[in-house]
Amino acid sequence: MARVLVTGWPSFVDGEATAGDVLAMEAVHGELDAMGLPYDTAWSPVFRPGALSLDDADPARYTHLVFACGPLHGPQVEALHGRFAHCRRIAVGVSVLDPDDPAVTGFDLVIPRDAPGAEPGPDLAARPVVPDVPVVGVVLAPGQAEYGTRRRHERIREELTGWLGRRDCARLPIDTRLDPADWRLATTPAELESVLRRCDMVVTTRLHGLVLALKNGVPALAVDPVGGGAKVTAQARAWAWPAVVTVPEDAAPPLLDEAALDRMWRWCLEVRRPLPARP
């Protein structure tokens, strides 16, 4: 019985997993599902630890190999032809730079998105329909040496971002600094607040991350990075805002209770506007 191995640049340990690459591979999944063909997908262990990797994929299990998206060139693509020589090898939605490249000629069938002398076709990444996830602005405070031995910034940043990295959301790093010389930063408060207004919620260890989120009607999960609490805790009290974490000054690591963070996360995503009036 036919069985397909789906591959792409996200399959290689030294490859790169872009959103477009992964969506193209998901488009192939959709076509194979529609045809009722069984398949596996090989992922880089760097990108998806624990998933099937190319090294663990037994070539004898497969009758076909599909390579989706990206440029057809280089030794990593060429190596597929040797290892899966008995398979029918198909490249789809790819860029062909040189039609005579062994990475290209090793495939039995190439369906390019662009190639010399050929009309371009739509990229496969446009096909899969993906669900919305919350857009979460992340505003983190710097070291703030003025708090001396009460500073918990580094440890809290590590724990908070580790927890946040496991949430199903689109994380948007936001810096409240204004700098007309750096295109990555806002130049005016209006630019910064326009970004915040487009977030579903904000996670912050910074006073103005909390204040500007609430000012613009965006729920904020605030964590005070100073042991015993300081200005973030005080400002949450001024706004009568409940979604704030204050770490006791004598707390031992881990400093953050992830179950409590989870509860505040759910509450922030469920809370309805308008939020509390400005104090």
Side-chain angles (χ1 to χ4, degrees):
M1 178 179 291
R3 188 172 191 88
V4 182
L5 181 65
V6 180
T7 64
W9 283 97
S11 305
F12 301 133
V13 173
D14 296 324
E16 183 177 61
T18 70
D21 291 330
V22 173
L23 285 168
M25 294 167 76
E26 290 180 359
V28 172
H29 296 167
E31 292 298 318
L32 294 174
D33 285 334
M35 291 186 288
L37 290 175
Y39 61 88
D40 296 319
T41 303
W43 299 105
S44 164
V46 177
F47 176 55
R48 291 194 178 168
L52 179 70
S53 69
L54 271 177
D55 286 345
D56 293 334
D58 180 1
R61 293 196 66 209
Y62 305 102
T63 57
H64 294 71
L65 179 141
V66 175
F67 187 91
C69 199
L72 284 189
H73 81 103
Q76 295 179 103
V77 178
E78 287 185 47
L80 294 175
H81 302 314
R83 186 167 178 215
F84 296 90
H86 70 285
C87 292
R88 178 167 173 79
R89 298 179 302 283
I90 302 168
V92 59
V94 293
S95 292
V96 175
L97 286 70
D98 176 5
D100 297 323
D101 188 325
V104 177
T105 60
F107 284 98
D108 298 291
L109 175 64
V110 177
I111 306 173
R113 62 187 175 191
D114 55 88
E119 282 295 313
D123 187 81
L124 292 177
R127 291 195 179 188
V129 177
V130 298
D132 282 336
V133 297
V135 177
V136 179
V138 184
V139 188
L140 301 177
Q144 297 177 323
E146 63 267 27
Y147 288 103
T149 59
R150 295 173 61 206
R151 292 174 62 257
R152 304 290 185 270
H153 294 64
E154 291 79 9
R155 180 73 194 195
I156 284 178
R157 175 187 288 258
E158 178 183 346
E159 293 185 20
L160 183 62
T161 56
W163 168 82
L164 187 57
R166 296 189 292 275
R167 307 279 72 75
D168 187 18
C169 65
R171 292 160 288 276
L172 178 64
I174 299 174
D175 196 327
T176 59
R177 291 180 301 125
L178 305 179
D179 187 349
D182 189 338
W183 67 268
R184 295 167 295 182
L185 300 178
T187 300
T188 66
E191 295 174 3
L192 177 66
E193 292 193 40
S194 294
V195 174
L196 286 169
R197 278 194 293 272
R198 286 161 172 78
C199 295
D200 294 304
M201 69 175 287
V202 165
V203 173
T204 185
T205 60
R206 193 160 197 162
L207 179 149
H208 284 122
L210 170 63
V211 171
L212 297 180
L214 297 183
K215 171 188 175 183
N216 286 281
V218 178
L221 194 170
V223 178
D224 198 320
V226 179
K231 58 186 178 182
V232 173
T233 298
Q235 196 59 210
R237 188 179 305 120
W239 283 78
W241 184 249
V244 61
V245 175
T246 303
V247 176
E249 191 169 355
D250 59 353
L255 302 181
L256 300 179
D257 179 347
E258 293 200 357
L261 290 176
D262 289 342
R263 289 192 296 272
M264 292 184 189
W265 171 272
R266 290 191 295 269
W267 182 81
C268 284
L269 290 177
E270 292 169 359
V271 71
R272 291 295 181 261
R273 302 179 188 190
L275 295 178
R278 303 179 196 181

